[in-house]
C-alpha cells in the first residue's frame, strides 16, 4: 500500500499561474487609460478582434496581436498583455 501511495504522489504537479500582465515584454506600446476608441484606432489601428459590449456600464474588449484593450463606454479603462502561448 505504501508503494502505491508513493507512486500516486508523484503523479501530481504544481501548477503555477503567471498573470498576463507579467508575461512577455511589458515595454510593448499599448493604449493608456482615458484614450477614446477613435484615438486608439488612429494610433494603433483597428483591432484583430472586436467583442461586443457587455454589462452596465458597457465594457467592450478589443484584441490586438500582443495585448487586449478594455473600454468602458468609449474610453480605455485598461490594457493588458495577452497570455504567452
Amino acid at each position: 500500500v505504501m508503494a502505491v501511495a508513493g507512486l500516486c504522489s508523484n503523479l501530481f504537479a504544481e501548477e503555477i499561474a503567471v498573470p498576463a500582465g507579467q508575461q512577455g515584454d511589458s515595454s510593448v506600446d499599448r493604449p493608456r487609460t482615458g484614450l477614446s476608441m477613435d484615438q486608439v484606432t488612429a494610433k494603433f489601428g483597428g483591432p484583430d478582434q472586436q467583442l461586443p459590449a457587455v454589462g452596465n456600464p458597457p465594457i467592450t474588449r478589443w484584441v490586438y496581436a500582443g495585448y487586449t484593450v478594455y473600454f468602458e463606454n468609449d474610453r480605455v479603462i485598461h490594457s493588458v498583455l495577452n497570455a504567452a502561448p
Side-chain angles (χ1 to χ4, degrees):
V1 175
M2 293 302 278
V4 173
L7 288 174
C8 290
S9 68
N10 292 334
L11 298 177
F12 298 98
E14 182 178 356
E15 184 175 326
I16 300 174
V18 178
Q22 294 178 9
Q23 297 178 11
D25 184 359
S26 63
S27 67
V28 170
D29 187 27
R30 30 180 223 253
R32 68 181 188 281
T33 302
L35 291 178
S36 71
M37 288 179 169
D38 289 339
Q39 290 172 313
V40 171
T41 302
K43 183 172 181 180
F44 298 93
D48 297 331
Q49 183 180 16
Q50 184 174 341
L51 295 138
V54 296
N56 187 20
I59 304 296
T60 304
R61 184 169 41 144
W62 287 6
V63 180
Y64 289 83
Y67 54 88
T68 299
V69 183
Y70 295 86
F71 297 88
E72 181 177 308
N73 296 309
D74 76 331
R75 297 290 171 171
V76 174
I77 55 171
H78 203 46
S79 63
V80 297
L81 295 175
N82 294 338

